[in-house]
Amino acid sequence: MLDQEGGAPIDMSMQKLDKNGFTTTEHLGREWSFVSPCLVKGSLTIKESPNNKKGKLVQKPPRKHLLIFFCTPVSPGKSRLIVVGPRNYSLWIDPFLSRWMNHVMINLIVDSDMCLLRVQEEKLMEVGPSNWQKACFVPAKADTNVVAFRKWLKKYANGQINWGTKFNGSLLPTLPREQLMDRYWSHVVHCSSCNGVYKCLNIFKISLQVFSIASLAIMATTKSGMILIAGRNTLAAASVLCFVGSKWLSHFIYKIFHFHDYNHAFK
């Protein structure tokens, strides 16, 4: 039964676990697979109801949505994450969402977990990889994937990543939130879509600032009577609007492409 926040129990079960990974299933038609060493794939199947056409029931092919995560450890406390979400159906909002908008929404989800993951990792380091249950409370069936991964990691990798001689396994000091959740150097600078929009918005911001300053300069250097009062007022209003617009745009660019803080207490 759903609670007031829309949550509900998730009935999950593990189907298999071996050196190649593991598979779990949900009662809602979802299937999750971990493929060693760093691939996670989620599959959601939505069955369509049959349509009645000319007295015949025609069953539509099921809609499928995949969530594919490539999460490659780079160093202790750092991973490179690549996310792909293909599906064989479209939504009404798709034509209105460009690639960079989708990336913004995905980054918001990743950012929301970043600080929590860091704290959890520190707690796991304190108790040691073989005692991870002491740092995690995972009583629900919805935690099946977490438990399965920890079992796989313990059985086939001694509970931790073997960094060889390159790293000693210890975590670096915790970064400030603005650096930990940085978007520009972790994503924007590497993404042609987001980087293109970022540059265009910055050009537009500078153009607004230049127009605002130029308008003030024109009014200051123009002799009285050369510009009608109505024209002077219009120019002043345009200058103020451009200045305010550039300030708002600067805040928007920073929040979308650099740092968007996230407080779990209010989400």
Side-chain angles (χ1 to χ4, degrees):
M1 185 174 180
L2 296 177
D3 61 19
Q4 291 182 351
E5 297 181 356
I10 300 177
D11 187 10
M12 298 184 67
S13 60
M14 185 171 62
Q15 303 303 312
K16 67 172 184 176
L17 188 150
D18 55 34
K19 65 179 181 179
N20 297 316
F22 59 83
T23 300
T24 60
T25 57
E26 296 182 33
H27 70 287
L28 295 176
R30 297 187 183 96
E31 181 177 283
W32 293 92
S33 300
F34 167 69
V35 182
S36 172
C38 56
L39 170 64
V40 175
K41 182 182 71 173
S43 176
L44 172 61
T45 301
I46 305 173
K47 294 182 179 180
E48 296 282 5
S49 57
N51 286 345
N52 192 348
K53 292 185 178 180
K54 296 181 180 180
K56 297 181 180 180
L57 292 178
V58 179
Q59 181 71 44
K60 289 184 179 181
R63 294 188 295 170
K64 292 187 177 181
H65 188 187
L66 300 180
L67 289 173
I68 303 173
F69 304 88
F70 296 91
C71 190
T72 307
V74 175
S75 64
K78 292 185 178 181
S79 296
R80 181 175 292 110
L81 176 63
I82 301 174
V83 182
V84 184
R87 45 186 164 88
N88 65 350
Y89 62 94
S90 60
L91 300 174
W92 67 268
I93 199 173
D94 287 345
F96 306 99
L97 289 179
S98 58
R99 185 167 169 241
W100 72 272
M101 292 179 181
N102 281 308
H103 290 184
V104 168
M105 290 187 290
I106 293 173
N107 281 329
L108 185 61
I109 297 172
V110 174
D111 288 348
S112 69
D113 293 334
M114 194 71 68
C115 293
L116 288 178
L117 290 174
R118 175 67 187 196
V119 172
Q120 290 173 348
E121 196 167 20
E122 290 174 349
K123 291 185 178 297
L124 287 172
M125 293 288 288
E126 290 175 3
V127 300
S130 60
N131 298 315
W132 67 269
Q133 297 97 329
K134 294 182 179 180
C136 303
F137 182 59
V138 285
K141 289 186 176 180
D143 302 314
T144 298
N145 280 326
V146 176
V147 175
F149 176 73
R150 286 293 164 184
K151 286 183 177 180
W152 179 89
L153 194 65
K154 183 177 181 179
K155 186 174 182 179
Y156 297 103
N158 197 28
Q160 58 189 333
I161 297 173
N162 183 2
W163 297 106
T165 58
K166 189 173 183 180
F167 303 104
N168 59 13
S170 59
L171 295 174
L172 294 174
T174 303
L175 297 172
R177 290 176 68 91
E178 195 164 346
Q179 289 181 259
L180 184 64
M181 299 164 65
D182 168 75
R183 287 187 182 179
Y184 182 77
W185 293 109
S186 65
H187 174 77
V188 175
V189 74
H190 306 290
C191 174
S192 59
S193 177
C194 292
N195 199 20
V197 174
Y198 176 79
K199 290 179 179 178
C200 289
L201 290 177
N202 272 295
I203 292 173
F204 185 49
K205 179 190 71 174
I206 294 172
S207 300
L208 291 175
Q209 293 172 348
V210 170
F211 182 83
S212 178
I213 295 172
S215 299
L216 292 175
I218 291 173
M219 289 188 296
T221 57
T222 302
K223 293 181 180 181
S224 177
M226 294 184 65
I227 301 178
L228 296 176
I229 295 178
R232 184 179 291 273
N233 291 339
T234 301
L235 201 59
S239 176
V240 171
L241 288 175
C242 287
F243 177 77
V244 173
S246 69
K247 286 295 184 181
W248 178 88
L249 193 56
S250 179
H251 173 74
F252 176 82
I253 292 171
Y254 182 77
K255 186 175 182 179
I256 296 299
F257 298 105
H258 284 276
F259 171 67
H260 186 172
D261 202 1
Y262 192 97
N263 191 335
H264 284 80
F266 300 102
K267 300 294 182 180

